[in-house]
Amino acid sequence: MSPNLSAPTAWLETRPGREHSLLPFWFWNDVLQPAELIRQIADFQAHGVDGFVIHPRVGLPENQGWMSTALLDCMRVALEEARRRQMLVLLYDDGMYPSGSANGQVVAANRAHACRCLDRQPAEAPLPTGANVVAEIADRHGRIWRILDRPADAVMRGLHYLDETAVPHPTEQEPPAADVLNPQAARSFLRLVYQRYADEFADFLGDPVIGIFTDEPSLLGRCRERHVQPGTPGILAHVTRLLGRD
């Protein structure tokens, strides 16, 4: 039976428990103020929403950047209020998307962890900077091609506007994408984000935090190049081992 929308108070008194609540993305896309965060959380609950996903998003000021003390302090305000109200929370694991780059911090910590790709180029072409030849193949016409492991021109969406007056669209920060196929880069991401959450919010994990949302991980990030394939140093040896063939 549909709720009587003309009697919202009765509906709120009989609504399902919080485990059945919608958990909408809550965009944090402006200067964050603790009092306003608390007001919006109360408004969620007043409308029958007993949880949310904290989603830092483009529009944040640079002094409230990804995993900064200022941003984490605001998250703590939201978590404390959510727990007080017995609400559910999902944290978000990157400063926009695709997940896996920690808003460019993985690459900032180690340039070798930037996104890489596999590319096919004629054998006579100059070798690009940072490229390694991983194989040579001949096509049906006898032409020799090199398969290269090289850096990709790949970014992710960032948290900050660089120019809101740009036409037709505001220009946004685009941090470098990380090589999510590289185990060391993945460990760096886990340390920068998941371990930081564990250190900062241990008392909130389980209540009210029920999980961490990862958003559209992509092996090539937001790649600006066409005709390249995902890759990382040594990947072909693993593919050959798994497939049993070259």
Side-chain angles (χ1 to χ4, degrees):
M1 183 175 67
S2 299
N4 181 358
L5 298 181
S6 65
T9 302
W11 160 238
L12 292 178
E13 290 174 353
T14 60
R15 71 185 186 218
R18 66 174 185 166
E19 66 272 19
H20 302 291
S21 176
L22 296 173
L23 297 177
F25 276 159
W26 182 16
F27 289 172
W28 286 13
N29 56 2
D30 204 342
V31 178
L32 302 176
Q33 301 287 352
E36 177 62 15
L37 296 177
I38 291 172
R39 186 197 69 79
Q40 291 188 27
I41 291 172
D43 197 43
F44 278 138
Q45 196 164 54
H47 289 83
V49 176
D50 284 316
F52 47 81
V53 184
I54 297 176
H55 187 350
R57 197 167 174 91
V58 63
L60 281 179
E62 291 189 1
N63 62 359
Q64 292 179 322
W66 179 242
M67 300 308 281
S68 66
T69 298
L71 182 63
L72 293 174
D73 285 348
C74 288
M75 289 186 184
R76 186 179 302 278
V77 168
L79 295 179
E80 289 174 346
E81 183 66 9
R83 183 160 62 185
R84 187 181 75 81
R85 292 177 171 272
Q86 298 185 320
M87 299 173 76
L88 304 175
V89 179
L90 285 169
L91 299 175
Y92 195 85
D93 76 350
D94 214 323
M96 289 285 274
Y97 55 86
S99 290
S101 301
N103 196 241
Q105 294 172 10
V106 170
V107 179
N110 189 333
R111 286 294 307 170
H113 291 165
C115 184
R116 298 183 71 86
C117 66
L118 294 176
D119 188 16
R120 187 185 78 159
Q121 294 190 359
E124 64 272 16
L127 198 64
T129 302
N132 303 306
V133 178
V134 297
E136 288 193 349
I137 59 174
D139 63 21
R140 60 188 179 132
H141 303 293
R143 187 176 185 183
I144 304 300
W145 299 82
R146 294 187 300 200
I147 306 301
L148 305 180
D149 156 44
R150 65 168 178 81
D153 183 7
V155 298
M156 63 173 293
R157 291 196 68 184
L159 288 178
H160 313 299
Y161 283 119
L162 302 178
D163 182 3
E164 293 190 78
T165 66
V167 177
H169 303 294
T171 56
E172 301 176 7
Q173 175 201 37
E174 292 183 312
D179 181 1
V180 297
L181 286 171
N182 182 331
Q184 293 180 351
R187 281 193 287 270
S188 177
F189 173 68
L190 293 173
R191 174 181 57 81
L192 289 166
V193 181
Y194 283 76
Q195 187 59 54
R196 186 80 183 280
Y197 276 153
D199 293 341
E200 293 286 337
F201 300 139
D203 293 344
F204 298 98
L205 299 182
D207 179 20
V209 176
I210 60 170
I212 300 176
F213 187 93
T214 189
D215 200 355
E216 301 182 7
S218 172
L219 301 182
L220 285 171
R222 292 166 67 91
C223 192
R224 292 166 167 160
E225 303 181 79
R226 295 185 176 184
H227 312 302
V228 297
Q229 299 295 325
T232 194
I235 191 67
L236 291 187
H238 291 288
V239 173
T240 298
R241 174 179 56 82
L242 294 169
L243 293 181
R245 58 182 173 82
D246 187 343

